[in-house]
Amino acid sequence: MSPSRALLGDRESRLLLARIAEPYDEKVQELVSVHGITDLVGYAVHDGRTPEGISLERLRARLERARAVDEAQICRALGVSVVVPGDEGWPAPLDDLPDPPWCLWVRGPAAPEEWSGRSVAMVGARASTAYGDEVAARMAYELAERGFAVVSGAAYGIDAAAHRGALRAGGTTVAVLAGGVDVPYPRANADLLSVIGDRGAVVSETPPGGAPARMRFLARNRIIAALAGGTVVVEANVRSGARTTAKVARELGRHLMSVPGPVTSVMSSGCHEEIRLGATLVTDAAEVAELVGRIGADLAPVRRGEGRAEDVLPPETKRVWQWLRPRASAGVDELMVRSGLGLGEVLVALSELEERGMAEQLLDGWKRRAGR
Amino acid sequence: MSPSRALLGDRESRLLLARIAEPYDEKVQELVSVHGITDLVGYAVHDGRTPEGISLERLRARLERARAVDEAQICRALGVSVVVPGDEGWPAPLDDLPDPPWCLWVRGPAAPEEWSGRSVAMVGARASTAYGDEVAARMAYELAERGFAVVSGAAYGIDAAAHRGALRAGGTTVAVLAGGVDVPYPRANADLLSVIGDRGAVVSETPPGGAPARMRFLARNRIIAALAGGTVVVEANVRSGARTTAKVARELGRHLMSVPGPVTSVMSSGCHEEIRLGATLVTDAAEVAELVGRIGADLAPVRRGEGRAEDVLPPETKRVWQWLRPRASAGVDELMVRSGLGLGEVLVALSELEERGMAEQLLDGWKRRAGR
């Protein structure tokens, strides 16, 4: 209707908005909720005001430089990708946020659609104790062993211990950064972030090159909470930033868990307060898995108003489906080994999955597809 | 109606039953619920069978020796008293039990009616850690400072630490024994029990001289839970006896609280399990007082269907009443100092309390009375 609409598509609008505005800017959030991203960015680019005449001056400060950026070239140069809602790699759980990221940069081999359905956020104090580090590392290790991705913020203390525990188990771990995915922060964790980028995923809503500014940390915490099926607070004093992650987890109806500690330790005081406010006390990975695993299987489908495609599969077919990967194809022989089923059973399962659009045969084997 | 009824009154029947039967004997409990104590004891004494012809042989094994006992003389000799339901000194909260004690022996200056309305049970492992002992002692100290009586079982570990903490604050502490009130158990805590008997109360449903037999400990735990407005489990492994006390507290609708500790400590594992089952996590005396204090003021009156006599008093009058003691009288000068009120205000308050039957003037000053 307005001529400005045609200027940029949804994807380009989102990428541009991420460069010209801050996701935690409430004024911008309000404008987005009124006009939608495409129109809003269109108005900003066109003449810097909405049809009602409201000035969009704050969206034009960085506009010229932002329009000169070649996102595709940057992604290629850095070896990262960027996803927006609707993309195959977009982590659907982010849509539960009242203010989801406009886009998400991803560095590393672990694609969001692979881990976002089975993940646990582990957060806590930077000034953690040896007790907290030990519990975080062990819990992350055992969650990774159970196939859960461990999501955290790459900070000192509990965050780092959780990432390291998951890596030690050979599992998937995801670091959500406040700055760009190419800006290691804190510096002392640069090596850790490098390993996570090689074996897991480093993600951010801040464009590459962006600095980890203070307000971005709070905004970042909502992504950690939203990405995971549940959040565990391992150690936190009563005013810890980890508790903002806990708050979002609670608001989103995610499972919120907390690890107790000595009542004499201030680093457990925030955890105890969370438990008194309703968080589930957890002492090990099994208790976390029981809770978060259940959400994946039972609660999430109800909340989304529909079942998952795999819920209706016969047991053997589901077993084969679970061993298919969206990105790497696997041969029938390999699937027999992985699933522990016979040739006939695997072939029957694959043909059923193909019929349902949940698997596809390529030259070098079979891959998972989203289904329906 | 049956001639047996006339043999003994309620009080004598209860005292005799306590000597001839065990309170945890389910067969006896069933007989009591069918016939009532007076009739049942009457049948046992009369011809050892009910009107329906059921043999009461198990109630006659100790009968002859029990009838030879002079309870009044024993109480005098030991300096103890024995109360039954309806007596002024009977702790009313015991009536909430499905199987209340038939009678209760009490040794020590703290009369049940003084402390049973404002008390907290603290229980836990005998093989406690230094952490558990420290937390128990501090919490008991601070609860005693707030005017709560601390109820426990005089066992090693958490029990002893709780009693000692309350004593150190100059507060009231109550030891509930499995054996008779004159049988110190465990022996190593004989000194502690002696101090509790001098300054608080040692109580038991087992007659004087009775041994602390194993089954009596489980039965004793229900009394600890019932006597207190709330129970705090300080340290317990998953199979701890303290958890039977917790179970009764839960069943009675008393506040059940639990102190967290390191997830790496087996002595906190039972506490964590209780919290996961619904117990409130508490880290200090203030949190306990908030919860249990509320019950005394709000919930208990509703549950009993009537308010407390002191609830209707004007603020100043209540203040004076709170400083009156049932056993030691206080002069007007002393009450002015204690309450921080002026002479006129204290006199007005005392005359109102006297009118309501809630205070009485003796030669050496004023004492509290139960009221109504």
Side-chain angles (χ1 to χ4, degrees):
Chain A
M1 317 170 194
S2 156
S4 61
R5 286 213 179 168
L7 284 175
L8 294 169
D10 175 68
R11 183 184 184 83
E12 291 69 29
S13 300
R14 288 173 172 274
L15 287 167
L16 190 60
L17 188 59
R19 293 215 176 250
I20 63 178
E22 297 289 336
Y24 54 80
D25 185 328
E26 290 183 7
K27 189 79 176 278
V28 175
Q29 282 171 18
E30 197 188 313
L31 288 165
V32 164
S33 71
V34 172
H35 301 285
I37 290 174
T38 326
D39 278 8
L40 179 66
V41 171
Y43 302 144
V45 170
H46 181 59
D47 64 355
R49 55 186 60 242
T50 69
E52 300 79 27
I54 297 171
S55 166
L56 300 175
E57 216 42 64
R58 68 196 309 160
L59 294 180
R60 286 170 73 91
R62 305 180 192 157
L63 187 59
E64 206 168 329
R65 207 162 32 154
R67 292 202 73 185
V69 168
D70 181 345
E71 297 289 357
Q73 196 268 323
I74 285 182
C75 283
R76 269 195 311 275
L78 296 173
V80 308
S81 59
V82 57
V83 290
V84 301
D87 286 352
E88 200 185 331
W90 178 256
L94 289 181
D95 297 332
D96 293 343
L97 284 168
D99 50 353
W102 301 316
C103 38
L104 194 71
W105 278 268
V106 182
R107 180 163 68 87
E113 72 269 27
E114 285 179 58
W115 51 261
S116 68
R118 191 167 172 83
S119 58
V120 172
M122 291 182 64
V123 297
R126 277 168 297 167
S128 55
T129 69
Y131 164 72
D133 289 348
E134 184 193 323
V135 172
R138 189 194 307 173
M139 194 176 268
Y141 183 98
E142 291 177 6
L143 284 169
E145 278 190 325
R146 285 173 163 82
F148 286 90
V150 173
V151 181
S152 196
Y156 292 122
I158 299 301
D159 284 18
H163 288 303
R164 289 204 174 95
L167 288 170
R168 213 168 297 138
T172 299
T173 191
V174 179
V176 185
L177 299 189
V181 294
D182 60 329
V183 181
Y185 185 91
R187 285 286 174 88
N189 285 349
D191 286 352
L192 174 62
L193 278 164
S194 165
V195 176
I196 297 173
D198 287 345
R199 294 164 55 184
V202 178
V203 307
S204 180
E205 67 179 327
T206 301
R214 172 157 168 66
M215 291 296 289
R216 287 176 175 168
F217 280 97
L218 293 178
R220 181 275 306 264
N221 288 349
R222 84 192 194 289
I223 300 182
I224 294 179
L227 277 179
T231 291
V232 182
V233 186
V234 181
E235 268 195 332
N237 66 33
V238 283
R239 296 188 183 282
S240 172
R243 296 191 66 191
T244 65
T245 314
K247 184 165 172 279
V248 176
R250 190 167 25 232
E251 285 166 358
L252 294 179
R254 300 284 197 270
H255 278 296
L256 177 59
M257 296 153 281
S258 194
V259 175
V263 299
T264 45
S265 165
V266 289
M267 277 304 151
S268 287
S269 56
C271 292
H272 296 151
E273 193 59 27
E274 288 295 344
I275 294 167
R276 286 172 57 81
L277 289 170
T280 302
L281 182 152
V282 289
T283 65
D284 62 18
E287 290 170 356
V288 175
E290 187 193 51
L291 217 54
V292 180
R294 227 187 274 149
I295 249 200
D298 309 323
L299 300 179
V302 172
R303 202 153 51 80
R304 294 182 193 286
E306 56 173 42
R308 292 176 172 214
E310 65 268 29
D311 289 343
V312 300
L313 298 175
E316 262 102 287
T317 310
K318 192 168 178 179
R319 210 151 121 190
V320 171
W321 179 84
Q322 282 171 339
W323 288 107
L324 289 174
R325 294 282 164 265
R327 301 190 148 228
S329 47
V332 172
D333 286 348
E334 200 181 335
L335 288 171
M336 286 168 62
V337 173
R338 286 187 190 172
S339 67
L341 295 172
L343 175 63
E345 291 165 305
V346 169
L347 292 178
V348 167
L350 287 172
S351 80
E352 175 166 18
L353 290 170
E354 189 172 34
E355 209 166 281
R356 288 176 178 272
M358 294 175 71
E360 63 179 328
Q361 191 173 15
L362 306 172
L363 282 177
D364 57 344
W366 290 78
K367 276 173 78 171
R368 184 191 285 191
R369 288 187 57 198
R372 272 189 208 143
Chain B
M1 312 170 195
S2 155
S4 62
R5 287 216 179 165
L7 284 176
L8 294 169
D10 175 67
R11 183 183 184 85
E12 291 69 28
S13 301
R14 288 173 171 274
L15 287 166
L16 190 59
L17 187 59
R19 293 214 175 251
I20 62 178
E22 296 290 336
Y24 54 80
D25 185 329
E26 291 182 7
K27 188 79 177 274
V28 174
Q29 282 171 18
E30 197 189 313
L31 288 165
V32 163
S33 72
V34 172
H35 300 285
I37 290 174
T38 325
D39 278 7
L40 179 66
V41 171
Y43 302 145
V45 170
H46 181 61
D47 65 354
R49 52 186 62 241
T50 68
E52 300 79 24
I54 296 171
S55 166
L56 300 174
E57 215 43 63
R58 67 195 310 158
L59 293 180
R60 288 170 71 92
R62 305 179 191 159
L63 188 59
E64 206 166 332
R65 205 159 36 148
R67 293 203 70 184
V69 168
D70 181 345
E71 297 289 355
Q73 195 268 321
I74 286 182
C75 283
R76 269 195 309 276
L78 296 174
V80 307
S81 59
V82 57
V83 289
V84 301
D87 286 352
E88 199 184 332
W90 178 256
L94 289 180
D95 297 332
D96 293 343
L97 283 168
D99 50 352
W102 300 317
C103 38
L104 194 73
W105 278 268
V106 182
R107 179 162 69 86
E113 73 271 26
E114 284 179 60
W115 50 261
S116 67
R118 191 168 172 83
S119 58
V120 172
M122 291 183 63
V123 298
R126 277 168 297 167
S128 56
T129 68
Y131 164 73
D133 289 348
E134 183 194 323
V135 172
R138 189 194 308 173
M139 194 176 269
Y141 183 97
E142 291 177 7
L143 284 169
E145 277 189 325
R146 285 173 164 80
F148 287 89
V150 173
V151 182
S152 195
Y156 292 121
I158 299 301
D159 284 18
H163 288 303
R164 289 203 176 96
L167 287 170
R168 212 168 299 139
T172 300
T173 191
V174 179
V176 185
L177 299 189
V181 293
D182 59 330
V183 181
Y185 186 89
R187 283 288 174 86
N189 285 349
D191 286 352
L192 174 62
L193 278 163
S194 164
V195 176
I196 297 173
D198 287 344
R199 293 164 54 184
V202 179
V203 307
S204 180
E205 67 179 327
T206 301
R214 171 156 169 65
M215 291 295 288
R216 286 176 175 168
F217 280 97
L218 292 179
R220 180 275 306 263
N221 288 349
R222 84 191 194 290
I223 300 181
I224 293 178
L227 277 178
T231 291
V232 181
V233 186
V234 181
E235 268 196 329
N237 67 32
V238 283
R239 296 188 183 283
S240 172
R243 297 191 65 190
T244 66
T245 314
K247 184 165 172 280
V248 176
R250 190 166 27 232
E251 286 165 358
L252 293 180
R254 300 284 198 269
H255 277 297
L256 178 59
M257 296 152 281
S258 194
V259 175
V263 299
T264 45
S265 165
V266 290
M267 277 306 151
S268 287
S269 56
C271 293
H272 296 150
E273 192 60 26
E274 288 295 344
I275 293 166
R276 286 171 58 82
L277 289 170
T280 302
L281 182 153
V282 289
T283 65
D284 60 19
E287 289 171 357
V288 174
E290 187 194 50
L291 217 55
V292 179
R294 227 186 275 150
I295 248 200
D298 309 322
L299 300 178
V302 172
R303 201 153 51 77
R304 298 186 189 283
E306 56 172 44
R308 293 176 172 215
E310 65 267 31
D311 289 344
V312 299
L313 298 176
E316 263 101 286
T317 311
K318 193 169 178 177
R319 209 149 121 192
V320 172
W321 178 84
Q322 282 169 340
W323 288 107
L324 289 174
R325 293 281 163 268
R327 296 186 156 233
S329 47
V332 172
D333 287 349
E334 198 180 339
L335 288 171
M336 286 168 63
V337 173
R338 286 186 190 170
S339 68
L341 294 173
L343 175 63
E345 292 164 304
V346 169
L347 291 179
V348 168
L350 286 171
S351 81
E352 175 166 16
L353 289 170
E354 189 172 36
E355 208 166 284
R356 289 175 178 273
M358 294 174 71
E360 63 180 329
Q361 189 172 16
L362 306 173
L363 282 177
D364 58 344
W366 291 79
K367 277 173 77 169
R368 183 190 285 191
R369 288 187 56 196
R372 271 191 204 143

